[in-house]
Amino acid sequence: RWARNRIGWRLALTQYVGLDVSLKDTAIAIRQNGKRIWRGKCCSDPATIARTIRKHAPDPEKVVFETGPLATWFFHSLSGEGLPAICIEARHAQKILGETLNKTDANDAEGLARLAETGFYKAVRVKSFGAMLIRALVAARAQLLGDLLGLGQLFLMLPFELLGLPGLDLNVGPQPRQLFSLFEQLVAEI
């Protein structure tokens, strides 16, 4: 990429950031013009990560991380901080990152920065916070309905005397012993 300054055209110093996100720590790798310029770790808080990135790469071209449990939060928070966040498909990235000899979080972040630099990735659409909340509510509702049905079935299996209810005869119709004795009578008549 080329940029113009006061003197003339020059090669722009584009910086690409790769994030290997986990629940506790996030590994960060920053590349510029095909070379690593910084690599480190910080806690998995988007505000802290944004400050760390801005400290070492003031104007990154792309900030790439994989899909995962924190992807929605990271995408919206980093985008809100003004960083060009891109969430990529984890399966596609793992096929490429799996080829490295020394598999560490730092090397995965380095590989993600290389993917950002080459543009060889599949970006995914990250849903909004509202859609994520609706999905969580639907899942909670399904869980509650399942628990309610389970309690209902448990209630039906308990004897009514244990519950302090008057005895109800749920055994309507002839019982198996009665059917067998009826069968024996019919066979005896023949």
Side-chain angles (χ1 to χ4, degrees):
R1 190 174 124 187
W2 292 88
R4 187 174 183 160
N5 61 11
R6 291 179 301 180
I7 301 169
W9 289 95
R10 64 174 175 79
L11 185 62
L13 300 176
T14 54
Q15 298 162 333
Y16 300 93
V17 180
L19 303 176
D20 187 51
V21 179
S22 68
L23 293 175
K24 187 178 177 185
D25 293 326
T26 297
I28 303 172
I30 301 173
R31 295 180 60 83
Q32 177 177 308
N33 294 336
K35 296 178 184 170
R36 178 178 62 208
I37 60 169
W38 188 81
R39 186 158 102 166
K41 252 186 190 183
C42 70
C43 67
S44 288
D45 176 48
T48 307
I49 292 171
R51 280 194 305 274
T52 306
I53 291 172
R54 292 276 186 220
K55 180 179 176 184
H56 299 283
D59 190 28
E61 181 78 18
K62 296 175 186 174
V63 177
V64 174
F65 56 94
E66 297 172 291
T67 56
L70 302 177
T72 304
W73 179 41
F74 267 60
F75 180 80
H76 292 293
S77 298
L78 292 175
S79 296
E81 295 277 343
L83 293 172
I86 299 171
C87 185
I88 66 172
E89 186 178 349
R91 288 177 289 174
H92 178 74
Q94 285 302 349
K95 287 179 184 176
I96 296 168
L97 298 176
E99 299 298 322
T100 57
L101 295 176
N102 191 4
K103 189 97 168 92
T104 63
D105 291 344
N107 286 343
D108 282 352
E110 179 80 23
L112 289 171
R114 282 187 181 144
L115 286 177
E117 196 170 22
T118 60
F120 189 64
Y121 58 84
K122 292 181 184 177
V124 296
R125 188 179 73 84
V126 178
K127 294 182 180 179
S128 67
F129 275 124
M132 187 177 70
L133 290 176
I134 289 172
R135 184 176 178 186
L137 285 174
V138 168
R141 179 182 180 273
Q143 179 70 34
L144 285 173
L145 283 176
D147 291 347
L148 183 64
L149 286 174
L151 286 174
Q153 290 173 352
L154 178 66
F155 179 76
L156 288 176
M157 291 189 317
L158 291 175
F160 284 95
E161 293 82 21
L162 291 177
L163 298 173
L165 298 174
L168 296 174
D169 187 17
L170 295 177
N171 299 322
V172 179
Q175 298 302 310
R177 286 185 184 167
Q178 293 171 345
L179 289 174
F180 187 71
S181 63
L182 181 63
F183 177 74
E184 285 181 330
Q185 290 174 359
L186 290 174
V187 170
E189 290 177 8
I190 296 180

Coordinates of all heavy atoms in Angstrom, one line a residue, residues 83-117:
L83 N -10.8 0.3 16.3 CA -9.8 -0.7 15.7 C -10.6 -1.5 14.6 O -11.8 -1.8 14.8 CB -9.2 -1.6 16.7 CG -8.3 -1.0 17.8 CD1 -8.0 -2.0 18.8 CD2 -7.1 -0.5 17.1
P84 N -9.9 -1.8 13.5 CA -10.6 -2.5 12.4 C -10.6 -4.0 12.8 O -9.8 -4.8 12.2 CB -9.7 -2.2 11.2 CG -8.3 -2.0 11.8 CD -8.6 -1.3 13.1
A85 N -11.5 -4.4 13.6 CA -11.6 -5.8 14.1 C -12.2 -6.7 13.0 O -13.2 -6.3 12.4 CB -12.4 -5.9 15.4
I86 N -11.6 -7.9 12.8 CA -12.1 -8.9 11.9 C -12.1 -10.2 12.6 O -11.1 -10.7 13.1 CB -11.2 -8.9 10.6 CG1 -11.2 -7.6 9.9 CG2 -11.7 -10.0 9.7 CD1 -10.2 -7.5 8.8
C87 N -13.3 -10.8 12.6 CA -13.4 -12.2 13.2 C -13.4 -13.2 12.1 O -14.1 -13.0 11.1 CB -14.7 -12.2 14.0 SG -14.9 -13.8 14.9
I88 N -12.5 -14.2 12.2 CA -12.3 -15.1 11.1 C -12.8 -16.5 11.6 O -12.8 -16.8 12.8 CB -10.9 -15.2 10.5 CG1 -9.9 -15.7 11.6 CG2 -10.4 -13.8 10.0 CD1 -8.5 -16.0 11.0
E89 N -13.1 -17.3 10.6 CA -13.6 -18.7 10.9 C -12.5 -19.5 11.5 O -11.4 -19.7 11.0 CB -14.1 -19.4 9.6 CG -14.7 -20.7 9.9 CD -15.3 -21.3 8.6 OE1 -15.3 -20.6 7.5 OE2 -15.6 -22.5 8.6
A90 N -12.8 -20.1 12.7 CA -11.7 -20.8 13.5 C -11.3 -22.1 12.8 O -10.1 -22.4 12.8 CB -12.3 -21.1 14.9
R91 N -12.2 -22.8 12.1 CA -11.8 -24.1 11.5 C -10.8 -23.8 10.3 O -9.9 -24.5 10.1 CB -13.1 -24.8 10.9 CG -13.9 -25.4 12.0 CD -15.1 -26.1 11.5 NE -16.0 -25.0 11.1 CZ -17.1 -25.1 10.4 NH1 -17.5 -26.3 10.1 NH2 -17.9 -24.1 10.1
H92 N -11.1 -22.7 9.6 CA -10.2 -22.4 8.5 C -8.8 -22.0 9.0 O -7.8 -22.4 8.5 CB -10.8 -21.2 7.7 CG -10.0 -20.7 6.5 ND1 -9.8 -21.4 5.4 CD2 -9.2 -19.6 6.4 CE1 -9.0 -20.8 4.6 NE2 -8.7 -19.6 5.2
A93 N -8.8 -21.2 10.1 CA -7.6 -20.7 10.6 C -6.8 -21.9 11.2 O -5.6 -22.0 11.1 CB -7.8 -19.7 11.7
Q94 N -7.5 -22.9 11.9 CA -6.8 -24.0 12.5 C -6.1 -24.9 11.5 O -5.1 -25.5 11.8 CB -7.8 -24.8 13.4 CG -8.1 -24.1 14.7 CD -6.9 -23.8 15.5 OE1 -5.8 -24.3 15.3 NE2 -7.2 -23.0 16.5
K95 N -6.7 -25.0 10.3 CA -6.1 -25.8 9.2 C -4.7 -25.2 8.9 O -3.8 -25.9 8.6 CB -7.0 -25.9 8.0 CG -8.2 -26.8 8.2 CD -9.0 -26.8 7.0 CE -10.3 -27.6 7.2 NZ -11.2 -27.6 6.1
I96 N -4.6 -23.9 8.8 CA -3.4 -23.2 8.5 C -2.5 -23.2 9.7 O -1.3 -23.5 9.6 CB -3.7 -21.8 8.0 CG1 -4.5 -21.9 6.7 CG2 -2.4 -21.1 7.7 CD1 -5.1 -20.7 6.2
L97 N -3.0 -22.8 10.9 CA -2.1 -22.7 12.1 C -1.7 -24.1 12.6 O -0.7 -24.2 13.3 CB -2.9 -22.0 13.2 CG -3.3 -20.6 12.9 CD1 -4.1 -20.0 14.0 CD2 -2.1 -19.7 12.6
G98 N -2.4 -25.1 12.2 CA -2.0 -26.5 12.7 C -0.7 -27.0 12.0 O -0.1 -28.0 12.5
E99 N -0.2 -26.3 11.0 CA 1.0 -26.7 10.3 C 2.3 -26.2 11.0 O 3.4 -26.6 10.7 CB 1.0 -26.1 8.9 CG -0.1 -26.7 8.0 CD -0.1 -28.2 7.8 OE1 1.0 -28.7 7.7 OE2 -1.1 -28.8 7.9
T100 N 2.2 -25.4 12.0 CA 3.3 -24.9 12.7 C 3.9 -25.9 13.6 O 3.2 -26.8 14.2 CB 3.0 -23.6 13.6 OG1 2.0 -24.0 14.5 CG2 2.5 -22.5 12.8
L101 N 5.2 -25.9 13.8 CA 5.9 -27.0 14.5 C 5.7 -26.7 16.0 O 5.5 -27.7 16.8 CB 7.4 -27.0 14.2 CG 7.7 -27.4 12.8 CD1 9.2 -27.2 12.5 CD2 7.3 -28.8 12.5
N102 N 5.9 -25.5 16.5 CA 5.8 -25.2 17.9 C 4.4 -24.5 18.2 O 4.3 -23.3 17.9 CB 7.0 -24.3 18.3 CG 7.1 -24.2 19.8 OD1 6.3 -24.8 20.5 ND2 8.0 -23.3 20.2
K103 N 3.5 -25.3 18.6 CA 2.1 -24.8 18.8 C 2.0 -24.1 20.2 O 1.8 -24.7 21.2 CB 1.1 -25.9 18.7 CG -0.3 -25.5 18.7 CD -0.8 -25.5 17.2 CE -2.3 -25.3 17.2 NZ -2.7 -24.0 17.1
T104 N 2.0 -22.7 20.2 CA 1.8 -22.0 21.4 C 0.9 -20.8 21.1 O 0.6 -20.6 19.9 CB 3.2 -21.3 21.9 OG1 3.6 -20.4 20.9 CG2 4.2 -22.4 22.2
D105 N 0.4 -20.2 22.1 CA -0.6 -19.1 21.9 C 0.1 -17.9 21.1 O -0.5 -17.3 20.3 CB -1.1 -18.5 23.2 CG -2.0 -19.5 23.9 OD1 -2.5 -20.4 23.2 OD2 -2.3 -19.4 25.1
A106 N 1.4 -17.7 21.5 CA 2.1 -16.6 20.8 C 2.3 -16.9 19.3 O 2.2 -16.0 18.5 CB 3.5 -16.4 21.5
N107 N 2.6 -18.2 19.0 CA 2.8 -18.5 17.6 C 1.5 -18.5 16.8 O 1.4 -18.2 15.7 CB 3.4 -19.9 17.5 CG 4.9 -19.9 17.8 OD1 5.5 -18.8 17.8 ND2 5.5 -21.0 18.1
D108 N 0.4 -18.9 17.5 CA -1.0 -18.8 16.9 C -1.3 -17.3 16.6 O -1.8 -17.0 15.5 CB -2.0 -19.4 17.8 CG -2.1 -20.9 17.7 OD1 -1.3 -21.5 16.9 OD2 -2.8 -21.5 18.5
A109 N -1.0 -16.4 17.5 CA -1.2 -15.0 17.3 C -0.4 -14.5 16.1 O -0.8 -13.7 15.3 CB -0.9 -14.2 18.5
E110 N 0.9 -15.0 16.0 CA 1.8 -14.6 14.9 C 1.2 -15.1 13.6 O 1.2 -14.4 12.6 CB 3.1 -15.2 15.2 CG 4.1 -15.0 14.1 CD 4.7 -13.6 14.2 OE1 4.8 -13.0 15.2 OE2 5.2 -13.1 13.1
G111 N 0.7 -16.3 13.6 CA 0.0 -16.9 12.4 C -1.2 -16.1 12.0 O -1.4 -15.9 10.8
L112 N -2.0 -15.7 13.0 CA -3.2 -14.9 12.6 C -2.8 -13.5 12.0 O -3.4 -13.0 11.1 CB -4.1 -14.7 13.9 CG -4.8 -16.0 14.4 CD1 -5.4 -15.7 15.7 CD2 -5.8 -16.4 13.3
A113 N -1.7 -12.9 12.6 CA -1.2 -11.7 12.0 C -0.7 -11.9 10.6 O -0.9 -11.0 9.7 CB -0.1 -11.1 12.9
R114 N -0.1 -13.0 10.3 CA 0.3 -13.3 8.9 C -0.9 -13.5 8.0 O -0.9 -13.1 6.9 CB 1.2 -14.6 8.9 CG 2.6 -14.4 9.3 CD 3.4 -15.6 9.1 NE 4.8 -15.4 9.6 CZ 5.5 -16.3 10.2 NH1 5.1 -17.5 10.4 NH2 6.7 -16.0 10.6
L115 N -1.9 -14.2 8.5 CA -3.1 -14.3 7.7 C -3.7 -13.0 7.4 O -4.2 -12.7 6.3 CB -4.2 -15.2 8.5 CG -3.9 -16.7 8.6 CD1 -5.0 -17.4 9.4 CD2 -3.9 -17.3 7.2
A116 N -3.7 -12.1 8.4 CA -4.2 -10.7 8.1 C -3.4 -10.0 7.1 O -3.9 -9.3 6.2 CB -4.2 -9.9 9.4
E117 N -2.1 -10.2 7.1 CA -1.2 -9.6 6.2 C -1.4 -10.1 4.8 O -1.4 -9.3 3.8 CB 0.2 -9.8 6.6 CG 1.3 -8.9 6.0 CD 2.6 -9.1 6.7 OE1 2.9 -10.2 7.3 OE2 3.4 -8.2 6.6

